[in-house]
Amino acid sequence: MTEIDYSLRIQEKKQQNPFITNTDLAYCLLLEDILSGIRLPGSRVSQSSLCQSLDLSRSPIRDAMIRLEDEGYLVQGKKQSYYIYILQPKDALHILEFRASLEILAGRLAVKRVTYDELTRLKDNLQQTELFMGQNHQEIIKLDSQFHKTLINASKNEYLTETYHTYSNKFSYLRVFTVFHADHQDILLRHTNIYRNLYNKNAERLEKAIREHLDNMLDDGITTCKFHYEE
């Protein structure tokens, strides 16, 4: 893959936390790469390349990669090589079953509690998605995440939003699989259907729209789970 320029992101991380350790810095940057789709499932992660790109010694890079392996984002191959873990169909199913239960409940509550500002953000999100369709899958991943987080926040239930936030990295990880090979036009149409039913405060149709959207995402995710590890 093309060498990644980390200079601006490193500067931002250090401005946000001047006391960040080198291990935490490497961990955060590599996790961002994985969850945003900069590094795709099955791709090799080179310790030596990271050392050079991040201008860090091997020790913090190694510790960060071990942490990501423990969390299920990296898998160790031959000769101490690491690869981005390829999600298995069972993992995709379980994540989406859990996510669907949260979003359907959020939808029911949002019908009663959604604000004009949140509806406006959802509508703006749809317009932005249309602009990037078929061009930039990383931007579509970001917009997809924002759309669903807005829906969750519209529930105004702090326990629900906190639970969603707790597992947001796993949801983002699955999103890389589902969006990469998905038809962006289909995503836009399904999001538009969710928005329209929320705007019209039709709880029954909103629940159906959310369920159908995530069922389609599951199909896309299982299809994309057929990635292969780089040689």
Side-chain angles (χ1 to χ4, degrees):
M1 64 175 290
T2 305
E3 186 174 345
I4 301 170
D5 184 358
Y6 287 100
S7 53
L8 288 177
R9 291 165 60 194
I10 290 173
Q11 185 178 352
E12 288 174 357
K13 296 292 181 191
K14 290 185 175 180
Q15 286 177 346
Q16 293 168 3
N17 179 9
F19 304 104
I20 190 170
T21 66
N22 288 337
T23 297
D24 286 344
L25 178 64
Y27 167 85
C28 290
L29 291 170
L30 188 50
L31 180 61
E32 284 179 355
D33 289 349
I34 296 170
L35 299 183
S36 66
I38 293 175
R39 294 178 183 270
L40 292 176
S43 61
R44 185 173 182 270
V45 183
S46 167
Q47 288 192 38
S48 58
S49 178
L50 275 175
C51 289
Q52 184 175 356
S53 298
L54 299 178
D55 193 23
L56 295 175
S57 65
R58 280 189 175 272
S59 181
I61 299 292
R62 183 184 62 250
D63 291 345
M65 294 175 81
I66 290 173
R67 182 175 169 187
L68 287 166
E69 181 185 18
D70 290 341
E71 293 177 0
Y73 297 108
L74 293 180
V75 59
Q76 194 172 82
K78 298 177 181 179
K79 299 179 181 180
Q80 301 298 309
S81 298
Y82 281 92
Y83 300 86
I84 309 299
Y85 176 67
I86 298 174
L87 205 65
Q88 299 303 300
K90 180 181 177 181
D91 298 326
L93 173 62
H94 288 179
I95 292 172
L96 270 175
E97 284 176 340
F98 177 53
R99 180 179 154 189
S101 66
L102 295 178
E103 293 201 19
I104 287 171
L105 175 56
R108 291 177 189 156
L109 297 173
V111 164
K112 305 172 185 177
R113 302 172 180 175
V114 66
T115 65
Y116 175 80
D117 181 61
E118 287 163 339
L119 288 170
T120 300
R121 287 206 298 273
L122 290 172
K123 186 176 181 180
D124 290 343
N125 183 282
L126 296 175
Q127 294 172 345
Q128 288 294 311
T129 300
E130 189 170 13
L131 287 175
F132 287 101
M133 279 196 313
Q135 300 179 38
N136 188 328
H137 84 272
Q138 290 174 24
E139 194 64 36
I140 296 294
I141 287 171
K142 185 189 301 182
L143 288 165
D144 184 84
S145 176
Q146 291 170 353
F147 183 91
H148 288 276
K149 284 180 181 177
T150 301
L151 176 64
I152 290 291
N153 291 336
S155 72
K156 307 298 188 298
N157 183 302
E158 62 184 57
Y159 293 98
L160 182 55
T161 54
E162 184 177 340
T163 301
Y164 195 89
H165 176 73
T166 299
Y167 293 94
S168 61
N169 282 350
K170 292 298 182 182
F171 298 152
S172 295
Y173 186 47
L174 177 60
R175 187 171 281 111
V176 172
F177 287 80
T178 58
V179 172
F180 186 75
H181 282 312
D183 186 322
H184 294 172
Q185 180 68 41
D186 286 346
I187 293 175
L188 177 61
L189 289 173
R190 294 194 295 261
H191 280 188
T192 300
N193 195 27
I194 290 172
Y195 165 77
R196 183 182 297 117
N197 287 302
L198 179 58
Y199 181 86
N200 292 330
K201 299 188 180 299
N202 191 319
E204 184 177 343
R205 289 188 177 182
L206 175 60
E207 178 175 340
K208 182 180 179 182
I210 294 172
R211 192 178 297 279
E212 287 180 350
H213 175 46
L214 294 182
D215 283 347
N216 277 278
M217 288 289 97
L218 177 60
D219 292 339
D220 292 333
I222 289 177
T223 298
T224 313
C225 285
K226 297 176 182 177
F227 272 106
H228 296 288
Y229 290 108
E230 289 182 351
E231 295 296 335

